[in-house]
């Protein structure tokens, strides 16, 4: 059993960025600190089956965003999502495609516990015991996009759910950012598609600095791993 609180659409504390969306969730169930929804947010999303480089990029960019006073939003799936949450170290929001009390894998349960212990927030629009399904994940992606000022896609195939999040972001007037990859790699195809359609390329921390409109470079555990270095190219 997992206890949770909730916000209704007409509550004063309900996030205004979601209230303005078409089909705004009428109820948000949550655990953790709802104040995480009050500031600037960057969504960092991508493939579940990703590369080690993708994981390093997601963690490094998330640390940079947090150091620049952004909150990192993602979906707590394995791969890029969980790497983004790790990099954010508590300044993060996880949006679930299932109820907060429904069964989940040990990996996701561990990620949820670490987010809450570090002072983050876990959200769901679904009733607590509703299990994940093929339709709940695309539905939750609109919340990830809606909470965020920009959506950054790190690695994605052409059929990745991350592209659904990017499409919602465009519909809501958010910026879409994409990390380029080698054109021969399947995990690069989704990002390259976004770039061809007008997404902003983020191939280094300085690119992300420009995209977010922040000044100064925030040091990370990887030093200058991504400064001025094309990601995966």
């Amino acid at each position: 059993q997992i206890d949770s609180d909730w916000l209704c659409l007409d509550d004063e504390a309900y996030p205004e960025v979601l209230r303005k969306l078409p089909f705004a969730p009428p109820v948000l169930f949550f655990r953790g600190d709802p104040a995480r929804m009050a500031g600037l947010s960057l969504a960092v999303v991508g493939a579940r089956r990703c590369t080690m480089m993708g994981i390093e990029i997601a963690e490094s960019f998330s640390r940079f965003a947090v150091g620049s006073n952004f909150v990192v939003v993602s979906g707590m799936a394995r791969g890029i999502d969980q790497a983004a949450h790790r990099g954010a170290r508590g300044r993060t929001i996880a949006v679930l495609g299932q109820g907060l009390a429904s069964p989940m894998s040990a990996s996701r349960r561990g990620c949820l516990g670490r987010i809450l212990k570090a002072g983050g927030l876990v959200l769901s629009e679904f009733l607590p015991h509703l299990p994940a399904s093929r339709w709940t994940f695309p539905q939750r992606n609109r919340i990830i996009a809606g909470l965020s000022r920009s959506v950054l896609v790190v690695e994605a195939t052409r059929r990745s759910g991350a592209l659904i999040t990017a499409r919602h972001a465009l519909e809501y007037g958010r910026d879409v950012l994409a990390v380029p990859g080698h054109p021969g790699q399947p995990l690069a195809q989704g990002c390259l598609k976004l770039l061809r359609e007008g997404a902003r390329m983020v191939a280094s921390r300085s690119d992300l600095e420009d995209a977010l409109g922040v000044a100064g470079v925030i040091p990370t555990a990887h030093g200058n791993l991504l400064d001025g270095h094309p990601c995966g190219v």
Side-chain angles (χ1 to χ4, degrees):
Q1 177 69 33
I2 295 182
D3 294 326
S4 62
D5 294 310
W6 62 86
L7 291 171
C8 295
L9 190 58
D10 57 355
D11 287 342
E12 185 177 346
Y14 189 97
E16 194 63 28
V17 289
L18 291 185
R19 201 196 312 269
K20 295 177 180 178
L21 297 184
F23 309 108
V27 180
L28 289 173
F29 298 93
F30 70 91
R31 294 186 68 201
D33 184 2
R36 292 297 182 208
M37 293 185 285
L40 293 172
S41 297
L42 170 71
V44 180
V45 296
R48 289 174 168 82
R49 296 181 180 179
C50 60
T51 67
M52 286 304 300
M53 177 59 79
I55 287 173
E56 290 182 3
I57 291 168
E59 289 189 10
S60 180
F61 282 172
S62 293
R63 282 194 296 272
F64 179 86
V66 165
S68 301
N69 294 318
F70 279 72
V71 171
V72 172
V73 183
S74 199
M76 217 177 75
R78 68 181 184 273
I80 297 300
D81 288 15
Q82 290 189 11
H85 292 307
R86 283 195 302 273
R89 297 175 180 172
R91 286 185 57 85
T92 191
I93 301 170
V95 185
L96 303 188
Q98 63 185 86
L100 291 175
S102 64
M104 63 180 68
S105 68
S107 169
R108 298 181 76 230
R109 181 69 64 185
C111 184
L112 184 150
R114 289 189 293 273
I115 288 170
L116 295 178
K117 185 176 180 180
L121 174 68
V122 182
L123 285 180
S124 176
E125 67 176 309
F126 303 112
L127 292 171
H129 292 281
L130 186 79
S133 69
R134 292 184 65 183
W135 65 270
T136 58
F137 289 108
Q139 185 168 330
R140 69 89 192 266
N141 289 351
R142 83 191 196 286
I143 299 178
I144 294 176
L147 283 171
S148 306
R149 194 181 83 172
S150 304
V151 171
L152 172 65
V153 182
V154 175
E155 286 183 336
T157 65
R158 291 184 66 88
R159 298 176 63 86
S160 173
L163 301 192
I164 298 175
T165 308
R167 187 179 72 236
H168 284 307
L170 290 173
E171 291 171 354
Y172 303 155
R174 292 1 180 208
D175 293 330
V176 175
L177 320 174
V179 177
H182 192 286
Q185 295 298 321
L187 282 169
Q189 298 310 306
C191 291
L192 293 175
K193 179 177 185 293
L194 292 174
L195 291 169
R196 285 193 296 270
E197 294 172 353
R200 182 165 183 166
M201 185 175 71
V202 174
S204 67
R205 284 206 307 268
S206 59
D207 286 345
L208 184 59
E209 180 181 12
D210 291 341
L212 297 182
V214 297
V217 175
I218 308 300
T220 73
H222 289 289
N224 292 327
L225 173 69
L226 300 175
D227 270 342
H229 178 72
C231 301
V233 176

